[in-house]
Amino acid sequence: MAEAYGLNVKFLHYFLMLLLTLVTVSALQTVGIILVVAMLITPAATAYLLTNKLSKMIVLASTFGAVSAIIGLYFSYIFNLASGAAMVLVATIIFFIAFLFAPKQGLLFSKKREVIE
């Protein structure tokens, strides 16, 4: 699709790989590889449940990631928990809320559609 818009696909690919590498390496010392992977995947999966448009998905994923980090750090400070684990826990809670209540793919709405049909 990027190629159809006339964008340099090769440059975008390597630029995104560079950004991903920088984020992973910089966060590795702080929270560990498993938590870094969880914080990369969970907000994106949450955004995917809520929209099909890439631009909205990017904004939602980054918002969910930032909110998870801020709330997780707050809970980490208040309850004396590990910061990385608290951030991932908040991101997972947000994912499960979206998983239950997403308008098109949510678990509760799909059950409701099955009952109606």
Side-chain angles (χ1 to χ4, degrees):
M1 186 174 211
E3 194 171 8
Y5 283 129
L7 299 174
N8 187 349
V9 178
K10 197 173 215 177
F11 171 76
L12 284 175
H13 173 75
Y14 288 118
F15 179 70
L16 289 175
M17 289 299 118
L18 175 70
L19 284 178
L20 183 63
T21 303
L22 290 175
V23 166
T24 304
V25 168
S26 64
L28 184 63
Q29 187 72 23
T30 308
V31 295
I33 192 67
I34 301 299
L35 297 177
V36 170
V37 171
M39 281 302 289
L40 284 171
I41 293 173
T42 308
T46 305
Y48 181 74
L49 286 173
L50 299 174
T51 186
N52 290 329
K53 259 189 108 145
L54 181 61
S55 59
K56 288 182 183 179
M57 197 178 302
I58 291 171
V59 170
L60 282 174
S62 59
T63 302
F64 290 144
V67 166
S68 299
I70 292 168
I71 294 173
L73 285 174
Y74 175 75
F75 284 136
S76 170
Y77 178 75
I78 296 297
F79 298 114
N80 197 22
L81 301 170
S83 59
M87 288 188 282
V88 171
L89 185 62
V90 171
T92 304
I93 290 169
I94 294 171
F95 174 80
F96 280 120
I97 291 170
F99 183 67
L100 289 174
F101 297 110
K104 292 183 182 179
Q105 302 173 359
L107 192 62
L108 294 179
F109 286 107
S110 66
K111 294 290 183 190
K112 184 178 176 183
R113 277 193 300 264
E114 288 176 8
V115 170
I116 292 172
E117 293 173 355

